[in-house]
Amino acid sequence: MKIEVASRKRAKIRLSIQGPSGSGKTYGALLIAKGLVGDLSKVCVIDTENSSAELYAHLGRFHTIQLAAPFAPEKFTEAIHLCEASGIEVIIIDSASHEWDGVGGILDIHASIPGNSFSAWSKVTPRHNQFVQSMLHCNAHVITTIRSKQEYVLSDKNGKQVPEKVGMKGIQRDGYEYDSTIAFELLHNHQVIISKDRTGLFVGKYDLVLTPEIGISIAKWCTEGDEVTQEMVEERISQCKSIQELLELYMKSKSYQQMLKHLFENRKRELITGSTQSHSSSEKLHENGTVGEQA
């Protein structure tokens, strides 16, 4: 544990796009992805919508992973890891609503567990959380589309309970947007409402529509953070005080893992040797192989 000066590191965007059917979620996500990396060949759509993303193949040669029911959260996590291993730079999950409310998704799994509801949630919540964590720790930009539907509440009118429209609600777990850097809500006319923006790029902007230019501006924001250089990683390796700290640094330094592998291994040996010497400092190994107290 140590105190450090706060600085914004280079980031990978976590963007959610919510909207009703026909509002342009998939198309808009692809346009933003194109702006983010400039080449759709670096983009993969995890498609739960019966190959609907392929309707926009004219935009460029992007990749797809077709997911079909049952939509267990582990399927999404596996697809994300496959994209990472394949060097994909932008992952579009179209749509994340299926993980929650699709056939075989979280709500289906919860309903199939016998016993009380509270106990059932304790079993399915970790599975959903693992899916969310796989997105948060992914070494690529992640764009998720979320279906939305009209939400109603019951209001008292003249002594009767009458349903009343209160706006659109995303089909995902409450609080899902908390982990997004940016959250867009699309209207039927394709205009965007900014639900969340931690970048500050879209403050006070109205009549916004999704275009590659939005992706370009987001990409610029992502690269404006303090760059982690090879020299910085080398210094951090030498400062690691435990195997666990060294492992965490290794996992965070994916760009330098192979280049600095020998330094990680050397520091690991030093830490192991130091730990062994510390535990045996009060003992002495005799020539005959027996161990006794030092003089």
Side-chain angles (χ1 to χ4, degrees):
M1 182 183 298
K2 63 180 178 179
I3 298 176
E4 297 179 325
V5 176
S7 62
R8 183 167 70 80
K9 304 299 187 293
R10 291 192 170 195
K12 297 295 184 181
I13 207 67
R14 304 294 180 252
L15 168 64
S16 64
I17 303 175
Q18 174 183 315
S21 176
S23 59
K25 298 185 294 297
T26 306
Y27 186 70
L30 284 166
L31 291 179
I32 292 175
K34 189 171 185 177
L36 272 170
V37 291
D39 182 0
L40 282 181
S41 68
K42 302 173 184 177
V43 176
C44 184
V45 180
I46 300 173
D47 192 337
T48 68
E49 301 277 2
N50 298 312
S51 303
S52 65
E54 294 181 355
L55 296 173
Y56 308 114
H58 63 280
L59 293 175
R61 296 180 63 83
F62 57 88
H63 302 275
T64 65
I65 296 175
Q66 301 298 326
L67 289 192
F71 295 106
E74 291 79 12
K75 275 190 173 182
F76 291 83
T77 299
E78 182 182 355
I80 290 169
H81 290 163
L82 175 58
C83 288
E84 280 192 283
S86 302
I88 293 298
E89 296 183 17
V90 182
I91 301 171
I92 299 174
I93 303 176
D94 186 39
S95 75
S97 294
H98 288 78
E99 183 270 345
W100 183 251
D101 196 22
V103 175
I106 287 292
L107 294 184
D108 258 6
I109 298 170
H110 175 266
S112 68
I113 298 175
N116 66 66
S117 176
F118 183 81
S119 175
W121 277 119
S122 69
K123 296 177 181 178
V124 298
T125 295
R127 297 174 65 177
H128 171 76
N129 289 344
Q130 184 61 43
F131 158 62
V132 173
Q133 290 302 311
S134 70
M135 290 190 293
L136 295 181
H137 293 103
C138 179
N139 196 36
H141 301 290
V142 179
I143 302 173
T144 59
T145 70
I146 302 171
R147 292 179 173 186
S148 62
K149 61 181 179 180
Q150 186 68 56
E151 186 176 24
Y152 296 84
V153 296
L154 293 177
S155 301
D156 186 277
K157 291 187 177 180
N158 300 321
K160 295 182 179 180
Q161 294 292 307
V162 179
E164 182 178 349
K165 292 181 180 180
V166 293
M168 305 298 289
K169 178 177 174 60
I171 303 175
Q172 245 297 338
R173 186 167 193 165
D174 288 343
Y176 178 85
E177 71 280 1
Y178 293 164
D179 293 312
S180 299
T181 316
I182 304 171
F184 290 150
E185 183 175 346
L186 288 180
L187 305 177
H188 282 289
N189 62 1
H190 311 307
Q191 288 189 344
V192 179
I193 296 175
I194 313 300
S195 301
K196 180 181 180 180
D197 177 17
R198 298 180 67 185
T199 68
L201 293 171
F202 308 105
V203 174
K205 292 190 176 181
Y206 304 96
D207 299 330
L208 194 67
V209 293
L210 301 185
T211 63
E213 285 67 34
I214 288 179
I216 292 171
S217 62
I218 292 174
K220 183 180 178 182
W221 180 88
C222 288
T223 57
E224 283 178 346
D226 297 339
E227 182 176 6
V228 178
T229 65
Q230 179 178 335
E231 290 74 17
M232 292 169 63
V233 178
E234 290 177 356
E235 183 178 358
R236 288 287 305 280
I237 291 173
S238 66
Q239 294 173 348
C240 287
K241 304 298 183 185
S242 67
I243 297 295
Q244 180 62 35
E245 185 180 354
L246 186 67
L247 177 60
E248 291 175 357
L249 176 61
Y250 180 80
M251 296 305 295
K252 292 177 181 177
S253 308
K254 294 189 176 182
S255 300
Y256 299 105
Q257 284 178 351
Q258 293 302 317
M259 188 182 305
L260 302 180
K261 186 176 181 180
H262 65 291
L263 293 183
F264 281 106
E265 292 178 343
N266 289 341
R267 185 56 183 158
K268 179 181 178 180
R269 283 193 290 268
E270 290 172 358
L271 291 170
I272 292 174
T273 302
S275 175
T276 303
Q277 290 176 346
S278 175
H279 283 95
S280 61
S281 60
S282 62
E283 298 179 337
K284 181 179 180 180
L285 181 65
H286 297 306
E287 291 182 1
N288 63 5
T290 62
V291 178
E293 294 295 327
Q294 290 186 2

